[in-house]
Amino acid sequence: MTRSVLSSRSRVVRPVAALVLAAVVATVAACGSDSNNGTGPMDVSGTYSLTTVDGNALPFTIPNTPEHTIVITSATATLGADHSYTIAGVGTEDGSDPGTVIADEGTYSVSGSTVVFSSSTFSPASYSAAATSSTLTATVPGAFAGSTNASFTLVFEKAS
C-alpha cells in the first residue's frame, strides 16, 4: 500500500522514519539467526547516531521532495538486547520549528554482519543494514522520504 508521505507533518514522520529504518535494517539485513558465522558482530545492541546521509554530514535536506522541504538534524537508533528497536529523529519541515521527523519501532534479527529490521510502525515492512563493531550502514529507497531519488545511504555510528 502506498501512502502520501508529505501531505502533513504526521505523515512526514513515518516516511522519514522508514528512510532511517530502512538504512538501519538494510545495513543489518538477513533472516532469523543470531549467529555471526565469523562474519560480523553477534551483539549489535546499543545506541547509534546518524552521522551521514549519502556521505553528507547532518543537517541533511532530503532532495527532490516536490511537496515539502524536510531537513534531518539528528537521529538515533536504539537496538535493545531483547531484539527490539526504536528510531527517533529531529528536524524541520518547510522551515517549521524543530520537531520529530523520524519515528519507528519494531524488532530486529542478526545473521553474520546483516541486521534485519521488522517495523511494527510500517508493518509488514522490513529493512536491512550492514553492521561492523561500531557502525550500521543501510541503503534505502528514496520513496520512503517522498523523494524521487532512487535511494539514500545512511551511516549510523555506535555511541561509546
Side-chain angles (χ1 to χ4, degrees):
M1 171 167 77
T2 303
R3 299 181 215 198
S4 170
V5 295
L6 296 175
S7 62
S8 72
R9 186 163 185 87
S10 64
R11 287 187 172 174
V12 169
V13 170
R14 288 188 178 187
V16 175
L19 171 68
V20 173
L21 172 62
V24 173
V25 179
T27 306
V28 195
C31 40
S33 169
D34 282 342
S35 68
N36 69 10
N37 300 321
T39 61
M42 182 187 297
D43 181 11
V44 295
S45 63
T47 301
Y48 297 79
S49 295
L50 181 63
T51 57
T52 64
V53 180
D54 285 347
N56 298 296
L58 300 180
F60 180 78
T61 301
I62 298 172
N64 302 315
T65 53
E67 295 181 30
H68 298 279
T69 300
I70 300 168
V71 178
I72 301 171
T73 56
S74 67
T76 302
T78 304
L79 283 64
D82 64 352
H83 290 255
S84 65
Y85 76 87
T86 60
I87 297 173
V90 174
T92 61
E93 176 186 354
D94 298 330
S96 65
D97 288 339
T100 301
V101 294
I102 299 168
D104 192 33
E105 62 183 24
T107 60
Y108 71 91
S109 61
V110 181
S111 179
S113 61
T114 301
V115 177
V116 175
F117 298 86
S118 298
S119 174
S120 58
T121 303
F122 304 101
S123 185
S126 65
Y127 312 91
S128 64
T132 69
S133 61
S134 61
T135 63
L136 296 174
T137 304
T139 299
V140 299
F144 288 150
S147 174
T148 58
N149 283 28
S151 63
F152 294 101
T153 299
L154 305 166
V155 176
F156 289 82
E157 289 187 10
K158 193 169 190 175
S160 0

